[in-house]
Amino acid sequence: MEERRAAGISRTLLPALLALVAVLGPSACRLSPGSAQGTPAGGSPGSAAPSGYGVEFLGPKDCSSRGAGFREVSCRSEKAVAKVLARHTGAPSDGPACPPPTDFVLHISPGGPTTADGGPATPRGYACMRNLESPHPGDPGQGGGPLTVVGDCVQGFREGEVKETACDGSGERPPEFVIVSAVARRALCPGNTDLYVRLGGDEPVGCARRM
């Protein structure tokens, strides 16, 4: 999903890994609705079934616990560990993008009482989550989160793929490129751009320089 340019050579690279399980984690090439893997810091991948605290299961500004399963709890509860920034129906690949501060994306399984037409009261969807306390892997340069944004660093993974990694070198892989700007098309990137990374949204091209 990125095109590489160095020493006068241009190559079209293949799409990066798209893996949306229950929570999304690090990858260098992301589609706008949380397009690659992500793992919430301190937690393991999982999904949430309708069982909660408020009127709408994991609606905006609601909070969740973490453990064997994600459950909705009061944000004042000692069990609360993450807050919903945005909530959408359907699959992340088809729906709106999560906001940039998102640390991980949680899949919502359909369930609960049925509606008048026989459908589930809580439809399948996804919640864009932000940890209540640090670390925040979705912040620029932290090496995680479902989105790749300006300020993030990436490292070559294998031919046609790069992965997001922490800019301070604390990740499993050392950073090679840093995304310095986002533009509408490649021609608008600075002349010293070494790598183009697809970001999605209105400015889908990330202009990255070798570190």
Side-chain angles (χ1 to χ4, degrees):
M1 281 191 183
E2 74 280 345
E3 294 175 2
R4 189 178 194 125
R5 170 185 166 192
I9 299 176
S10 296
R11 301 167 58 191
T12 299
L13 300 183
L14 301 174
L17 193 59
L18 175 63
L20 286 166
V21 189
V23 282
L24 309 180
S27 173
C29 186
R30 314 274 171 96
L31 300 180
S32 57
S35 53
Q37 299 176 337
T39 302
S44 57
S47 62
S51 173
Y53 176 84
V55 175
E56 179 187 17
F57 180 64
L58 287 179
K61 298 184 179 181
D62 285 342
C63 291
S64 76
S65 65
R66 183 179 295 151
F70 289 78
R71 290 182 174 273
E72 182 179 329
V73 296
S74 167
C75 289
R76 290 176 291 184
S77 169
E78 62 180 12
K79 296 181 180 180
V81 295
K83 177 173 283 188
V84 180
L85 299 181
R87 170 79 151 81
H88 303 293
T89 301
S93 57
D94 300 325
C98 283
T102 300
D103 286 327
F104 64 98
V105 175
L106 185 63
H107 279 201
I108 309 299
S109 301
T114 58
T115 60
D117 60 4
T122 300
R124 185 178 302 279
Y126 59 100
C128 308
M129 309 295 294
R130 172 84 172 174
N131 293 328
L132 294 178
E133 298 180 356
S134 60
H136 294 290
D139 285 352
Q142 296 303 302
L147 305 173
T148 300
V149 298
V150 173
D152 280 339
C153 294
V154 297
Q155 198 262 3
F157 178 57
R158 54 175 174 254
E159 184 64 23
E161 294 182 15
V162 291
K163 282 195 173 184
E164 187 179 329
T165 189
C167 290
D168 63 4
S170 61
E172 294 181 2
R173 302 173 182 275
E176 290 184 311
F177 303 89
V178 58
I179 301 172
V180 297
S181 60
V183 296
R185 58 184 186 278
R186 286 183 294 147
L188 298 178
C189 280
N192 59 352
T193 298
D194 296 306
L195 186 75
Y196 302 98
V197 181
R198 180 185 285 185
L199 305 180
D202 295 333
E203 295 180 320
V205 180
C207 314
R209 288 205 302 259
R210 186 176 292 276
M211 300 180 69

